[in-house]
């Protein structure tokens, strides 16, 4: 069950899986860039986030090249992007590591964007979402594809108070760019 209003301010966690990556030979996983489709989809994700207003107050992004490129292309769609912190702990992170990073966020941050990788992000959304609007939770259980954007809200005094099942998954979108 989701936390009730009054237990603290409304907080928003937006989870963005990096856009489609390329698999060039002899390139370490951390250094893989976006594929052409990823370069189209990342700006579409940025436009979808801008349309969902308000933009987050802070972004935390994996240091992997494909995640950084997703951030750069998505945030370029916004007039004034929030500050970003590149955190190496987000690369190949599971739920415990992701929660550790999220719980370090200052309490004055009401909206947080997390840019990273699967399976950790999918598992995080499933761990935190106690309820969902429409069929969003079933869709995450089926697949959390590249460029997927999950929007979670919850009430709490600070990020360390974010608990399993406490959030409402308000939407899941999978923006796609058009071939030019």
């Amino acid at each position: 069950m989701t936390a009730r209003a009054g237990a603290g301010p409304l907080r928003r966690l937006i989870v963005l899986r990096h856009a489609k990556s390329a698999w060039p030979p002899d390139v370490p996983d951390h250094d893989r860039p976006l594929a052409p489709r990823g370069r189209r989809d990342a700006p579409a994700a940025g436009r979808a986030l801008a349309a969902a207003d308000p933009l987050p107050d802070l972004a935390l992004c994996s240091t992997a090249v494909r995640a950084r490129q997703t951030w750069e292309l998505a945030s370029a769609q916004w007039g004034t992007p929030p500050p970003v912190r590149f955190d190496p702990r987000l690369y190949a992170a599971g739920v415990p590591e992701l929660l550790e990073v999220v719980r370090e966020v200052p309490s004055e941050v009401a909206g947080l964007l997390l840019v990273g990788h699967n399976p950790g992000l999918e598992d995080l959304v499933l761990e935190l979402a106690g309820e969902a609007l429409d069929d969003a939770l079933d869709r995450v259980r089926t697949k959390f594809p590249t460029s997927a954007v999950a929007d979670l809200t919850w009430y709490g005094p600070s990020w360390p108070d974010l608990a399993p099942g406490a959030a409402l998954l308000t939407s899941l979108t999978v923006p796609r760019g058009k071939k030019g």
Side-chain angles (χ1 to χ4, degrees), residues 90-167:
L90 296 176
Y91 173 69
V95 171
E97 296 86 7
L98 292 169
L99 281 174
E100 179 181 327
V101 172
V102 168
R103 288 177 175 153
E104 292 173 1
V105 172
S107 60
E108 59 269 12
V109 172
L112 176 65
L113 172 64
L114 196 59
V115 183
H117 312 269
N118 254 7
L121 291 183
E122 178 179 333
D123 293 342
L124 180 68
V125 171
L126 294 173
E127 176 86 6
L128 295 176
E131 298 177 16
L133 299 180
D134 301 320
D135 65 344
L137 203 48
D138 290 333
R139 291 175 52 219
V140 172
R141 285 184 189 112
T142 301
K143 186 175 186 182
F144 195 70
T146 55
S147 300
V149 179
D151 201 331
L152 298 145
T153 59
W154 65 287
Y155 289 93
S158 63
W159 290 97
D161 299 304
L162 180 56

Side-chain angles (χ1 to χ4, degrees), residues 40-51:
R40 291 190 307 268
D41 292 348
R47 289 188 296 275
L49 285 166

Side-chain angles (χ1 to χ4, degrees), residues 15-75:
V15 178
L16 170 60
R17 183 176 174 201
H18 67 76
K20 183 73 174 170
S21 60
W23 292 86
D26 302 321
V27 172
D29 184 73
H30 187 273
D31 298 335
R32 290 191 298 119
L34 291 179
R37 187 178 104 195
R39 293 193 151 287
R40 291 190 307 268
D41 292 348
R47 289 188 296 275
L49 285 166
D53 199 42
L55 290 173
D57 303 311
L58 175 67
L60 300 176
C61 183
S62 163
T63 56
V65 170
R66 59 194 177 274
R68 292 175 70 102
Q69 289 177 335
T70 298
W71 161 253
E72 290 164 8
L73 292 168
S75 66

